[in-house]
Amino acid sequence: MRLFANRDYRRLFGAQIIALFGTGLATVALGLLAYDLAGPSAGAVLGTALTIKMVMYVVIAPIAAAYVDRLPRRTLLTVLDALRALVVLALPFVTEIWHIYLLVGLLQAASAAFTPTFQAVIPDIVTEEPDYVRALSASQVASTMESLLSPVLAAVALAFLSFDRLFLGTSAGFLLSGLLVLSTRIPEARPSSHTRAWDRVTAGIGTFLGTPRLRGVMALNLAVAAAGSIVVVNTVNYVRDELGGSQSAVAWMLAASGGGTLLAALVLPRLLDRVAARTVMVTGAGFLVGGTAAAVTLAAAGLTTWTGTAIVWALIGIGMALVITPTGKVLRASVEPNAIPGVFAAQFSLSHLAWLITYPIAGWLGTNTGFAAAWSVLAALAAAGAIGALLLWPRNDGREASPGTLTTVPAERPSDRSALSKAARNALSVADVARARTEPGKGHIPRQPYPIGPTSRSTYP
């Protein structure tokens, strides 16, 4: 595969996989640590910890993106990996719930700066559009493989080790990820067109608010968060208290959701070559609405079966993959190259703002009122996100322009531009000849305008 012939991308991809698997082990261990310290209130503890995580992402990510072109990105990524390794190494030694909150805050502050920087590096290393689309798919496959295999590895490890040892694997993963990043040649970022700090922070968010297709992505973020919170926050209590499962069973149920995500991610690269991203993403929202509705039915009717729960968790995993995988392609098609870091950081913050809303509902409401009530609220939010996407994202998006850009004809693909220009010249030439024969002196036809701005380079269907 030509993509993996790129040495720098190959190393960055390896760093991503290692860090993802380390994070996956820590996610399982964090849930079990919360259950060990809080018992039946583990959902509330985990919900609070994840809410802290979302606050860090929403606040820090756009600030990091605003200054990413002023810092050596390779050094920044390496230092952040080292910091995360040290913080995770301290988690096995916590004895109080507030210790979890403090360390999670530090860990996620580093991750909030790391992730948008890492995402913005990829298009600078993988510059060809087909390869970049495949890089997005490869990243999603890596994420889904982590969500599938990390719980499985955790389940096997928990048969021999206590859960706090899983944090050691996470720390080692971050260190190795940092070494791989350090060995990669990362070009310096393109200078931003914004000079003031506040403009740099808000530029990406402004693009989202002013672009209909991106407003649709914002609505889909809510659907993803609503369904995903059920899996991330409530699995440990649901499996341990409702199904009567073990620590390993928690990991296996998380793997069921990861399996659904992996199944969808494997078929998406070819599907996205034939089907518009909007169609794929809205279909994914349908899966999420169906999955949350099924979860409510399980909880309200008392149908606490292993098979039923695994099927629902897998449906949610499929829906998340269908929404998340094409998002990078939509973002890149909506802005000029030097605005990519800002719009990726905005998506990072805005998507996690949705999780900031849904995590407390799953954690606190689930603990105090029960799963049926909490999941009903989350199902309603998932439905609102799906409906919002349908209303905000025009079905015929071919004429879509960036904010402030006027276009008179649909956007063409870069590969089609030469053919379009040749056809236009031929048409004008024929018209010139005809008009010259009938109206001497009027054989010249002014050149017709082409679309300007980001729309003219859009590769989004």
Side-chain angles (χ1 to χ4, degrees):
M1 186 176 180
R2 187 176 64 178
L3 176 63
F4 289 98
N6 184 323
R7 168 190 174 273
D8 294 317
Y9 172 76
R10 188 170 63 247
R11 295 193 177 189
L12 277 180
F13 185 69
Q16 180 192 23
I17 289 178
I18 293 168
L20 281 173
F21 273 90
T23 304
L25 294 177
T27 301
V28 176
L30 185 60
L32 296 174
L33 176 61
Y35 191 84
D36 187 60
L37 293 177
S41 299
V45 173
L46 193 56
T48 301
L50 294 172
T51 299
I52 292 171
K53 169 184 176 179
M54 295 303 107
V55 171
M56 293 297 177
Y57 281 9
V58 170
V59 173
I60 292 178
I63 297 175
Y67 292 97
V68 70
D69 63 345
R70 299 184 179 182
L71 299 171
R73 294 189 291 181
R74 184 175 65 177
T75 301
L76 176 62
L77 291 172
T78 304
V79 169
L80 292 172
D81 260 338
L83 178 60
R84 294 193 293 179
L86 291 174
V87 172
V88 170
L89 200 58
L91 279 170
F93 303 101
V94 304
T95 56
E96 301 290 340
I97 291 174
W98 70 268
H99 294 165
I100 294 179
Y101 299 155
L102 175 62
L103 291 175
V104 165
L106 292 173
L107 174 66
Q108 303 308 332
S111 294
F114 182 95
T115 302
T117 305
F118 184 92
Q119 289 175 333
V121 164
I122 299 300
D124 288 337
I125 291 177
V126 182
T127 56
E128 295 295 328
E129 180 67 23
D131 287 342
Y132 178 69
V133 172
R134 285 171 172 77
L136 295 175
S137 297
S139 294
Q140 181 60 37
V141 169
S143 298
T144 54
M145 286 295 290
E146 175 270 314
S147 62
L148 173 65
L149 294 181
S150 288
V152 174
L153 293 174
V156 174
L158 288 169
F160 305 98
L161 305 170
S162 60
F163 68 84
D164 56 352
R165 299 295 179 88
L166 297 180
F167 291 118
L168 299 178
T170 300
S171 182
F174 284 137
L175 287 175
L176 186 54
S177 171
L179 291 174
L180 284 173
V181 170
L182 193 60
S183 68
T184 303
R185 294 169 298 186
I186 297 177
E188 295 306 317
R190 298 180 179 93
S192 172
S193 58
H194 301 280
T195 56
R196 294 190 303 169
W198 178 249
D199 290 341
R200 296 158 72 88
V201 169
T202 59
I205 295 176
T207 300
F208 263 82
L209 297 177
T211 308
R213 77 169 71 131
L214 298 185
R215 292 200 294 267
V217 171
M218 290 171 59
L220 291 171
N221 289 337
L222 180 61
V224 169
S229 293
I230 294 176
V231 174
V232 175
V233 177
N234 297 134
T235 297
V236 60
N237 274 116
Y238 193 76
V239 170
R240 296 300 301 272
D241 298 334
E242 300 295 326
L243 297 175
S246 63
Q247 292 183 354
S248 295
V250 173
W252 286 114
M253 191 58 71
L254 291 171
S257 177
T261 308
L262 176 63
L263 178 65
L266 289 175
V267 302
L268 273 173
R270 292 185 179 180
L271 183 64
L272 288 171
D273 287 338
R274 300 190 299 270
V275 181
R278 179 187 184 276
T279 302
V280 173
M281 296 170 75
V282 170
T283 301
F287 273 90
L288 295 174
V289 173
T292 53
V296 173
T297 302
L298 287 179
L303 302 175
T304 52
T305 65
W306 289 96
T307 302
T309 305
I311 291 173
V312 171
W313 263 228
L315 285 175
I316 292 174
I318 291 172
M320 292 178 71
L322 292 176
V323 174
I324 294 172
T325 302
T327 298
K329 180 180 180 182
V330 176
L331 297 182
R332 193 183 187 213
S334 302
V335 296
E336 291 288 1
N338 64 349
I340 287 175
V343 78
F344 267 87
Q347 163 63 7
F348 187 75
S349 289
L350 293 171
S351 64
H352 287 90
L353 179 61
W355 291 92
L356 179 59
I357 296 170
T358 60
Y359 273 150
I361 294 173
W364 302 339
L365 193 61
T367 299
N368 295 319
T369 65
F371 294 126
W375 293 355
S376 295
V377 175
L378 293 171
L381 290 176
I387 294 171
L390 289 171
L391 296 177
L392 294 170
W393 191 341
R395 180 181 295 274
N396 181 12
D397 199 36
R399 298 178 67 88
E400 186 64 32
S402 295
T405 301
L406 175 65
T407 91
T408 56
V409 298
E412 83 276 10
R413 302 173 187 269
S415 59
D416 296 337
R417 188 173 301 161
S418 60
L420 179 60
S421 300
K422 182 177 180 180
R425 288 196 302 269
N426 290 341
L428 292 176
S429 178
V430 172
D432 270 337
V433 172
R435 185 172 297 182
R437 288 175 178 174
T438 58
E439 303 178 60
K442 297 183 179 181
H444 174 70
I445 297 178
R447 180 183 177 188
Q448 299 300 311
Y450 285 98
I452 60 175
T455 310
S456 66
R457 58 174 294 277
S458 174
T459 57
Y460 178 68

